[in-house]
Amino acid sequence: MGACWGPAVRVLVLQAAWALVGGQVRYSVPEEAKVGTVVGRVAQELGLEAGEAEARRLRLVAQGRRASVEVSGASGALVVSGRLDREELCGKSAPCALRLEVLLERPLRVFHVELEVTDINDNAPLFPAARKNLSIAELSLPGSRFPLEGASDADIGANAQLSYTLSPSEHFGIEEENSNSRSKSLFLVLTKPLDRETEPVHRLLLTASDGGRPSLSGTMELVISVLDANDNAPQFNQSVYNVHLPESALEGTLVARVNATDSDEGINREVIYEIVTIVPPSASDVFSLDAKSGEIRLTGGLDFENVPFFVLHVEATDKGTPPLSGHCEVVLEVLDENDNAPEVRVTSLSVPVPEDASVGTVVAVLSVWDRDSGSNGRVRCSVWPASPFGLVSSVSGSYSLVVREALDRERVSEYEVEVRAEDGGAPALVGSRRVRVPVEDVNDNAPAFAQAVYTVLARENNAAGAELARVQARDPDEAGNGRVRYSLWEGGVGAAGAVGGVISASSYVSVEAESGRVWALRPLDYEEVQVLEFEVRAVDAGEPSLCGNATVQVWVLDENDNAPSLLPAAGVGAGAGASGRSSSVWESVSGESSGSLWAWAAWGTPAGQVVAKIRAVDADSGYNAWLRYEVWEPRGKGPFRVGLYSGEVSTARALEEADGPRQRLVIVVRDHGEPARSATATLSVSLGEGGEAASASSGAGSSGPGLRASSGAEGGSSSLSSLSSLSSSTNAWLVAAICAVSGLLVVAVVLCGAWRWAPRAGALSGRGPATLVCASQVGSWSYSQRQSRSLCVAEGAGKSDLMVFSPNCPPPPAAAAKETQPEPPALLDTVSAAPSLASRPAPRRPRPLLSLVSVVSPGVGRRLWEAG
């Protein structure tokens, strides 16, 4: 009984609870719940026991639309049996409640169940289209709004509350506006001016997000096309066109091709080119521009040296309304070519240059430049041809022409210097400038005579005032420095006199100051002065003055102006046999042309015995003093003869009584001058017996100093022996002399021939061991030991007066010796002995010794003298 009342009680309780809630059960389930999800336990809500719901057949009765829930018979729970989609079931209605009826049989009862399907954010916002195309004018102002259609969300409530975002853009933004309580207006807002040329199309992404958790979103692409306007000027692809062209570029050469683009479209982008300005303005005819292509070409020549740079301002204009323009610059750099030679200019010139200018003296200052540039303008300078001048560079482009070596105006009086400038181009170009540099004279040269020693041949007895010689000194300086005046230097003059000592030359000669002529002040006398030596000084007119000296030797040539003079003679005894003897003595001397001599000889004296000796001298010299002796009377064959050159009177045959007691001989002494001069001597020879001759000799010996006689037989014998020895010695010397003279004659002939065909000179001056001089017409032996100074050469035949002397002249002063130039080698160095003449004392002067004699024709000597 209790068990029966239990269920009933529960039913009652269920009914009571149901009644309390209005008789309706409410459940809530989220949409999209999984199948099998328990929504509510209806059996328990109705108070049914487990298993009772199936027994009493508890089931769900749908009303109208199919429910996606059902009641499980076993458990009596309301479970999800299908997909619950709130949007499908209720759409936008809220809340979404499903009314369900639960039927319970046994007993039959109907219960109402309200199932609320709650919304979940299972639907994303959805735009009407995935892409939205918009067209906006380029010139639209910022702030302009363009309406957009918003997105929709099937959910409700917060899940349907949408917010919009726009992808980042500097030109656009998004705005929402509440137009009414049910919807909002959506606008696209322009925040920054558009530039079609920069970005002709803008692609933006509009996103709508709901308020669910998690939030869902939907997107729409906005494609915004910017409509073009002529708001862009043409733009060059380069603001500056840098162009390099060589200056040798020809006309028509393409300089540059400018290119301007316009970001606009259509007619707004068509461009026309034009040259607005050219720098420099003078180059307006050098370039041309094609208005359509933008090509700039040369219409003229380029010259780097005139205009190295050109700047062209080019304008490009479009055809829009209004037209817009752009600008650019074309900078043309002209490349230098080596088309200009260096230029040399003399900026300062200091001439003439003194010849004693020191090294480093600046002669000229020159400016050197090359209009080219770079290596083409780098210049190297040099002096051509080689000269005593050089270049010194002080600063760039400036050179000084300086003295490098010592100058000598006498060697080069003027220089033509060419300064050459060569650039570094390839090929190199050369410029030059000639500079005339005269050298100014300074008195640096003393007058110099052509000869250190002048040898002059002058005949004695010349007329006073005659010109003896002409000396000439050359001074290579100019003007006053080279004007020479001559004078006789008293410090170095003198003459070798016949009586010895030094005689002042100024008493004999004078020197003309201007011409250098040497004049004779008085006649010369060989017997008084044989060599007159003096010095001539040449002084220039420079400041200070310089001088030079030359020695003049005047050789006085002897003339035959003196006749032979007889000297007192000593007797020489001769006789026949041991007792024979002879002697001789002068009896008297009358004047200088004649005299008487007494001699004694014994009969029987053999031939060749010397009975007397005639002695004579001639004040002249050479041939003029070479004496020869002849028996004038008696003519024909006499018992006596005289030595041609010795003057010894000897027996021609043995003396006989038939010859008489006395023989008278007239002996003539002649010189070899022309005309010849002579003197006569009378010799009286007494003949007798030997005793008489001896007594006569003794008597003669006591009668005067001129008698020499032997006493006694011994004396006579000794005298004869001595005389014989002297005669033999003399003959030997004569033979040797003849051989030597013959050999030297051959040598002289050969030398004459050689000199005849050799280059001839009028006079060779200089000291030497032996030199040829001219003799007189007849020719004479010369006994001079002085050194010769001159050489005379004739053009005549081989027979000529050819004599070699070694004069012993006093040496010149030391100064003159230093100035003496080297002399040619002597013609003849060999000096041989000549035959000795009759020994005789010199009455007035020392007789010179003979060096070399060649007897030749007397007529040629005069021609040699006249030629000399």
Side-chain angles (χ1 to χ4, degrees):
M1 185 68 176
C4 295
W5 283 96
V9 173
R10 288 194 293 273
V11 171
L12 291 176
V13 172
L14 179 58
Q15 289 179 348
W18 195 270
L20 289 174
V21 294
Q24 186 176 4
V25 178
R26 288 181 178 269
Y27 294 103
S28 175
V29 64
E31 63 176 332
E32 304 295 340
K34 294 181 179 180
V35 175
T37 300
V38 177
V39 177
R41 298 188 180 275
V42 178
Q44 291 181 1
E45 294 292 340
L46 293 177
L48 299 177
E49 294 291 339
E52 188 178 3
E54 184 178 2
R56 296 185 65 180
R57 297 186 65 183
L58 181 65
R59 57 185 177 87
L60 182 66
V61 179
Q63 293 184 357
R65 357 181 232 189
R66 173 182 173 275
S68 298
V69 293
E70 63 180 14
V71 176
S72 173
S75 63
L78 184 64
V79 296
V80 177
S81 61
R83 178 176 177 269
L84 287 176
D85 187 2
R86 193 204 67 81
E87 288 76 29
E88 183 180 348
L89 296 174
C90 301
K92 296 294 289 183
S93 299
C96 179
L98 298 178
R99 293 183 181 276
L100 304 174
E101 291 181 352
V102 177
L103 181 63
L104 180 65
E105 297 179 354
R106 297 174 186 176
L108 181 64
R109 298 287 298 272
V110 177
F111 297 94
H112 295 281
V113 177
E114 185 175 320
L115 179 62
E116 181 181 3
V117 180
T118 59
D119 185 46
I120 66 172
N121 194 24
D122 60 344
N123 290 283
L126 183 63
F127 284 95
R131 177 181 293 176
K132 176 71 172 178
N133 293 319
L134 297 176
S135 295
I136 301 176
E138 184 179 11
L139 297 181
S140 298
L141 299 177
S144 301
R145 300 197 305 173
F146 305 94
L148 297 175
E149 187 176 355
S152 61
D153 196 322
D155 297 325
I156 60 172
N159 292 333
Q161 292 180 358
L162 302 179
S163 62
Y164 296 92
T165 58
L166 192 63
S167 59
S169 173
E170 60 179 345
H171 294 280
F172 296 97
I174 198 74
E175 285 186 3
E176 297 181 49
E177 185 179 276
N178 293 325
S179 58
N180 51 51
S181 60
R182 298 183 62 182
S183 63
K184 292 181 178 180
S185 299
L186 186 63
F187 296 95
L188 182 66
V189 180
L190 182 64
T191 60
K192 184 180 180 180
L194 298 175
D195 187 358
R196 189 202 68 81
E197 291 72 32
T198 303
E199 194 172 357
V201 177
H202 296 264
R203 295 182 181 274
L204 305 176
L205 188 63
L206 179 62
T207 303
S209 303
D210 57 21
R213 290 179 182 272
S215 175
L216 298 178
S217 62
T219 59
M220 179 177 62
E221 183 183 16
L222 298 178
V223 179
I224 304 170
S225 299
V226 181
L227 300 178
D228 182 51
N230 192 27
D231 59 341
N232 290 281
Q235 296 293 325
F236 287 92
N237 55 359
Q238 295 176 233
S239 61
V240 177
Y241 291 82
N242 291 304
V243 183
H244 300 82
L245 282 180
E247 59 179 326
S248 61
L250 303 176
E251 292 186 15
T253 300
L254 178 64
V255 177
R257 181 182 286 107
V258 296
N259 183 28
T261 57
D262 196 319
S263 302
D264 298 326
E265 292 182 335
I267 196 172
N268 293 334
R269 68 181 303 167
E270 294 183 14
V271 177
I272 299 175
Y273 301 96
E274 180 185 4
I275 297 177
V276 180
T277 58
I278 298 179
V279 179
S282 60
S284 59
D285 57 344
V286 179
F287 304 96
S288 65
L289 173 62
D290 191 309
K292 292 184 178 181
S293 65
E295 291 183 351
I296 302 175
R297 295 185 179 273
L298 288 178
T299 58
L302 302 178
D303 188 355
F304 172 85
E305 289 70 38
N306 290 334
V307 183
F309 290 95
F310 294 92
V311 179
L312 287 73
H313 296 275
V314 180
E315 181 181 73
T317 306
D318 61 23
K319 295 182 178 180
T321 303
L324 300 178
S325 61
H327 300 83
C328 75
E329 287 185 356
V330 178
V331 178
L332 172 60
E333 181 180 355
V334 182
L335 300 179
D336 180 50
E337 292 189 345
N338 195 26
D339 58 343
N340 290 279
E343 298 182 31
V344 182
R345 178 179 298 172
V346 179
T347 58
S348 177
L349 183 62
S350 178
V351 292
V353 181
E355 62 177 321
D356 60 349
S358 60
V359 174
T361 301
V362 178
V363 177
V365 178
L366 304 102
S367 297
V368 181
W369 72 94
D370 194 317
R371 298 180 63 194
D372 297 322
S373 62
S375 60
N376 296 331
R378 285 195 293 269
V379 178
R380 301 187 304 271
C381 290
S382 60
V383 175
W384 186 92
S387 64
F389 302 97
L391 291 175
V392 175
S393 177
S394 52
V395 295
S396 178
S398 179
Y399 291 85
S400 298
L401 185 66
V402 299
V403 178
R404 289 290 195 192
E405 301 173 5
L407 303 177
D408 187 359
R409 190 205 65 83
E410 290 69 39
R411 185 171 60 88
V412 181
S413 62
E414 181 177 286
Y415 292 89
E416 190 77 19
V417 179
E418 182 179 2
V419 178
R420 289 185 173 181
E422 182 179 357
D423 60 25
L429 299 180
V430 178
S432 63
R433 173 73 65 178
R434 289 187 176 272
V435 180
R436 178 178 167 271
V437 183
V439 181
E440 183 180 17
D441 181 57
V442 297
N443 193 28
D444 59 341
N445 289 279
F449 286 90
Q451 301 172 215
V453 177
Y454 288 85
T455 300
V456 180
L457 302 179
R459 292 184 177 276
E460 65 175 330
N461 303 319
N462 60 300
E467 180 180 342
L468 300 179
R470 176 180 297 183
V471 295
Q472 185 175 9
R474 180 181 177 274
D475 193 325
D477 297 324
E478 64 179 357
N481 296 332
R483 191 166 55 249
V484 179
R485 294 181 65 85
Y486 303 92
S487 63
L488 191 68
W489 187 32
E490 292 293 343
V493 299
V499 296
V502 177
I503 304 173
S504 175
S506 59
S507 62
Y508 287 91
V509 295
S510 67
V511 178
E512 188 174 321
E514 297 296 332
S515 64
R517 289 187 175 93
V518 179
W519 304 97
L521 296 178
R522 62 179 182 176
L524 298 175
D525 186 358
Y526 176 84
E527 288 71 36
E528 181 181 353
V529 176
Q530 297 167 3
V531 179
L532 184 64
E533 183 173 294
F534 55 91
E535 289 196 4
V536 177
R537 170 170 289 184
V539 181
D540 60 25
E543 189 64 37
S545 61
L546 301 177
C547 65
N549 297 329
T551 300
V552 179
Q553 292 180 341
V554 179
W555 289 75
V556 182
L557 298 180
D558 181 50
E559 289 191 343
N560 195 23
D561 57 346
N562 291 280
S565 176
L566 297 175
L567 297 178
V572 178
S579 61
R581 56 187 179 162
S582 65
S583 63
S584 63
V585 65
W586 283 108
E587 186 178 68
S588 64
V589 177
S590 59
E592 294 184 355
S593 61
S594 65
S596 299
L597 178 68
W598 291 88
W600 294 265
W603 290 323
T605 301
Q609 187 67 47
V610 177
V611 297
K613 185 176 181 66
I614 307 298
R615 292 190 300 170
V617 295
D618 195 318
D620 298 321
S621 65
Y623 277 94
N624 296 331
W626 187 18
L627 303 179
R628 64 178 181 269
Y629 301 85
E630 299 176 2
V631 176
W632 187 258
E633 291 180 0
R635 299 279 183 175
K637 295 182 178 181
F640 297 97
R641 62 185 178 187
V642 65
L644 181 62
Y645 297 109
S646 63
E648 293 177 344
V649 181
S650 60
T651 56
R653 55 180 172 79
L655 299 179
E656 301 174 353
E657 292 184 4
D659 293 326
R662 178 176 298 181
Q663 292 286 330
R664 180 175 177 275
L665 304 177
V666 177
I667 299 173
V668 177
V669 183
R670 288 191 178 89
D671 58 26
H672 283 74
E674 187 178 338
R677 294 178 177 269
S678 63
T680 59
T682 302
L683 175 63
S684 297
V685 181
S686 299
L687 303 180
E689 295 291 341
E692 294 177 358
S695 61
S697 297
S698 299
S702 62
S703 62
L707 176 63
R708 291 192 305 169
S710 299
S711 61
E714 293 82 0
S717 177
S718 175
S719 297
L720 289 174
S721 176
S722 174
L723 183 59
S724 177
S725 175
L726 178 62
S727 176
S728 299
S729 176
T730 301
N731 292 335
W733 277 108
L734 286 175
V735 172
I738 291 172
C739 293
V741 169
S742 299
L744 292 177
L745 176 60
V746 174
V747 174
V749 171
V750 173
L751 291 178
C752 284
W755 274 100
R756 180 178 181 182
W757 296 106
R760 301 181 51 204
L764 298 178
S765 174
R767 298 183 181 274
T771 310
L772 298 180
V773 299
C774 295
S776 62
Q777 295 178 5
V778 175
S780 64
W781 294 106
S782 174
Y783 305 99
S784 176
Q785 293 179 345
R786 296 179 177 83
Q787 294 180 353
S788 175
R789 291 289 195 265
S790 67
L791 172 64
C792 294
V793 180
E795 299 179 358
K799 291 185 177 181
S800 61
D801 288 345
L802 182 62
M803 302 180 66
V804 178
F805 300 97
S806 293
N808 186 15
C809 297
K818 292 181 181 179
E819 297 175 358
T820 303
Q821 300 177 352
E823 300 177 355
L827 178 63
L828 294 177
D829 294 333
T830 304
V831 178
S832 61
S836 61
L837 302 178
S839 59
R840 49 198 170 95
R844 291 190 296 171
R845 62 185 182 277
R847 283 299 182 182
L849 296 177
L850 176 65
S851 297
L852 176 64
V853 178
S854 177
V855 180
V856 292
S857 173
V860 182
R862 176 181 298 174
R863 292 196 297 273
L864 285 173
W865 163 250
E866 293 172 354

